[in-house]
């Protein structure tokens, strides 16, 4: 099989290219090409609008006896999409554009002509100013005056529009709502900030109150004395805060071998601190009764000797029933406090 894609062809050894006959084609012959409409146009026959960029199968030919600086000019033939009328246009290398020739009119042609006229006027003016300095001054004065007139007219138009402008109620309402929303958000933020500050102050006050309460519990205040009772001198400051701490507190004097008098004095101080003075005006002085000296038993009574020969209250008459003896724990406690032995 032969190759599908043949890149090189076989030339026999006796091949002579001069023997190949040359085709004699006319110079104005036409070619079929695919192109797009170079500008907007309107058909003169049916009035159909043909917009720029519309694709056509056009016939192309070279314009005879027309050259621009050695460049050939080409003509194109297309047909209207509605009535099939023939439309022709050709290239314009001088203006780098296309020019309408037959069958249609170019849209916006007036605008193009105006632009061309303006370009021509500017070119002529530059040539005049190049040779005439006074013309330059005149042109500048005229330009400044024209510019002032344009600004005045523009200001008048703005004032006229402001007088005739209708108020935009929707826009005004929208702005008012936006301002109100911003104000609400600002108030909410301020309320939250104030609430946080108040909570912080309340927390600090609660902490200070709890600290003061704990200090008061550690150092309780003494009850004021009753009216009519003599004020006693304050007791010496000691490290013992509660009466029960005496039992667990060891004074340094005990470790040094105290005397009997010091021991007795310490006992009295403990008793007065816990119960009160017996002879003074304390709160418990009326409840404690000192022991009275024992009287001689009446006749007919037998007294049982107590320890150390002290008669006791258990003396009863010989011929009578034993008497009921009323005693209290406080009286016994008072008696126990007066004894020297423990």
């Amino acid at each position: 099989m032969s190759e599908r894609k043949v890149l090189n062809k076989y030339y026999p050894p006796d091949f002579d290219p001069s023997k190949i006959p040359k085709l004699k084609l006319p110079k104005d012959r036409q070619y079929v090409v695919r192109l797009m409409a170079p500008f907007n146009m309107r058909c003169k026959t049916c009035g159909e609008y043909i917009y720029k960029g519309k694709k056509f199968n056009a016939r192309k030919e070279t314009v005879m006896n027309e050259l621009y600086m050695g460049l050939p000019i080409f003509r194109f033939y297309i047909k209207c999409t509605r009535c099939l009328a023939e439309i022709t246009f050709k290239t314009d290398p001088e203006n780098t554009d296309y020019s309408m020739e037959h069958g249609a009119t170019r849209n916006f042609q007036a605008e193009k002509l105006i632009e061309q006229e303006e370009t021509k006027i500017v070119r002529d003016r530059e040539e005049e100013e190049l040779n005439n300095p006074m013309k330059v001054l005149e042109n500048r004065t005229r330009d400044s005056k024209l510019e002032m007139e344009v600004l005045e007219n523009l200001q008048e138009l703005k004032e006229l529009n402001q007088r005739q402008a209708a108020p935009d109620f929707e826009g005004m309402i929208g702005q008012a709502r936006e301002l109100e929303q911003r104000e609400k958000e600002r108030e909410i933020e301020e309320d939250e900030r104030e609430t946080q500050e108040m909570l912080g102050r309340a927390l600090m006050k609660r902490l200070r109150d709890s600290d003061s309460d704990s200090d008061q519990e550690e150092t309780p205040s003494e009850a004021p004395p009753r009216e009519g009772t003599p004020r006693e001198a304050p007791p010496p400051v000691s490290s013992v805060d509660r009466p029960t701490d005496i039992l667990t507190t060891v004074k340094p004097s005990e470790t040094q071998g105290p005397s009997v008098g010091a021991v007795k004095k310490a006992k009295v101080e403990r008793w007065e601190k816990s119960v009160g003075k017996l002879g003074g005006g304390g709160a418990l002085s009326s409840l404690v009764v000192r022991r009275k000296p024992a009287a001689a038993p009446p006749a007919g009574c037998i007294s049982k000797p107590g320890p150390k020969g002290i008669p006791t209250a258990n003396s009863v008459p010989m011929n009578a029933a034993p008497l009921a003896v009323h005693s209290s724990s406080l009286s016994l406690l008072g008696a126990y406090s007066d004894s020297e032995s423990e």
Side-chain angles (χ1 to χ4, degrees), residues 320-335:
L323 298 174
V325 180
H326 299 280
S327 63
S328 63
S329 60
L330 291 176
S331 63
L332 295 178
L333 184 60

Side-chain angles (χ1 to χ4, degrees), residues 215-276:
D215 294 341
Q216 291 177 3
E217 290 177 0
E218 293 177 359
T219 58
S221 60
E222 297 181 358
R226 294 183 180 179
E227 294 182 359
T229 58
R231 291 179 176 272
E232 298 180 0
V237 179
S238 62
S239 62
V240 180
D241 295 335
R242 293 175 295 179
T244 54
D245 294 342
I246 300 172
L247 303 177
T248 59
T249 306
V250 179
K251 295 183 178 181
S253 60
E254 296 178 359
T255 59
Q256 300 174 0
S259 60
V260 178
V263 173
K264 186 174 181 180
K265 187 176 181 181
K267 290 180 180 180
V268 173
E269 289 178 357
R270 292 174 188 175
W271 170 258
E272 290 179 355
K273 188 173 184 181
S274 61
V275 178

Side-chain angles (χ1 to χ4, degrees), residues 112-128:
K112 182 180 178 182
L113 295 175
I114 290 172
E115 291 178 356
Q116 292 178 356
E117 189 67 23
E118 289 179 355
T119 305
K120 184 178 180 182
I121 291 171
V122 170
R123 190 183 303 112
D124 296 341
R125 179 178 175 180
E126 289 178 355
E127 292 178 356
E128 288 179 359

Side-chain angles (χ1 to χ4, degrees), residues 49-251:
Y49 286 97
I50 299 173
Y51 298 99
K52 181 179 179 179
K54 180 82 174 168
K55 291 184 178 181
F56 293 94
N57 292 325
R59 292 178 290 115
K60 171 188 171 184
E61 69 177 7
T62 304
V63 180
M64 302 301 296
N65 302 324
E66 286 190 20
L67 296 174
Y68 174 75
M69 299 180 66
L71 298 177
I73 296 176
F74 301 101
R75 181 182 288 114
F76 300 93
Y77 298 87
I78 60 174
K79 290 183 179 181
C80 177
T81 56
R82 184 177 180 182
C83 63
L84 300 179
E86 191 174 58
I87 300 172
T88 61
F89 55 88
K90 60 183 180 179
T91 58
D92 186 7
E94 182 179 1
N95 300 317
T96 62
D97 198 2
Y98 292 84
S99 60
M100 195 70 213
E101 191 175 20
H102 175 71
T105 57
R106 181 173 179 174
N107 295 340
F108 310 108
Q109 184 70 23
E111 183 179 358
K112 182 180 178 182
L113 295 175
I114 290 172
E115 291 178 356
Q116 292 178 356
E117 189 67 23
E118 289 179 355
T119 305
K120 184 178 180 182
I121 291 171
V122 170
R123 190 183 303 112
D124 296 341
R125 179 178 175 180
E126 289 178 355
E127 292 178 356
E128 288 179 359
E129 292 177 354
L130 185 62
N131 300 324
N132 191 357
M134 294 300 295
K135 195 69 175 179
V136 176
L137 184 59
E138 292 177 0
N139 292 337
R140 288 181 182 178
T141 306
R142 186 170 58 254
D143 293 341
S144 61
K145 186 182 295 186
L146 182 62
E147 186 176 359
M148 293 296 294
E149 292 178 358
V150 170
L151 291 176
E152 291 176 359
N153 294 335
L154 181 61
Q155 188 66 24
E156 291 178 359
L157 290 175
K158 286 183 179 180
E159 293 177 358
L160 183 62
N161 291 335
Q162 290 178 358
R163 288 195 299 268
Q164 296 179 355
D168 187 7
F169 296 104
E170 296 295 334
M172 296 169 63
I173 294 172
Q175 291 180 359
R177 290 177 179 175
E178 186 177 357
L179 292 175
E180 185 178 357
Q181 184 67 20
R182 291 180 181 177
E183 187 68 20
K184 288 182 179 180
E185 291 178 357
R186 187 179 62 80
E187 291 178 358
I188 292 172
E189 291 178 359
E190 290 180 357
D191 294 342
E192 291 180 355
R193 184 171 62 256
E194 292 178 359
T195 304
Q196 294 294 335
E197 293 178 358
M198 293 174 63
L199 291 176
R201 289 196 296 268
L203 180 60
M204 294 297 296
K205 184 177 180 181
R206 187 178 299 174
L207 292 175
R208 288 195 297 269
D209 294 344
S210 62
D211 293 342
S212 61
D213 293 343
S214 61
D215 294 341
Q216 291 177 3
E217 290 177 0
E218 293 177 359
T219 58
S221 60
E222 297 181 358
R226 294 183 180 179
E227 294 182 359
T229 58
R231 291 179 176 272
E232 298 180 0
V237 179
S238 62
S239 62
V240 180
D241 295 335
R242 293 175 295 179
T244 54
D245 294 342
I246 300 172
L247 303 177
T248 59
T249 306
V250 179
K251 295 183 178 181

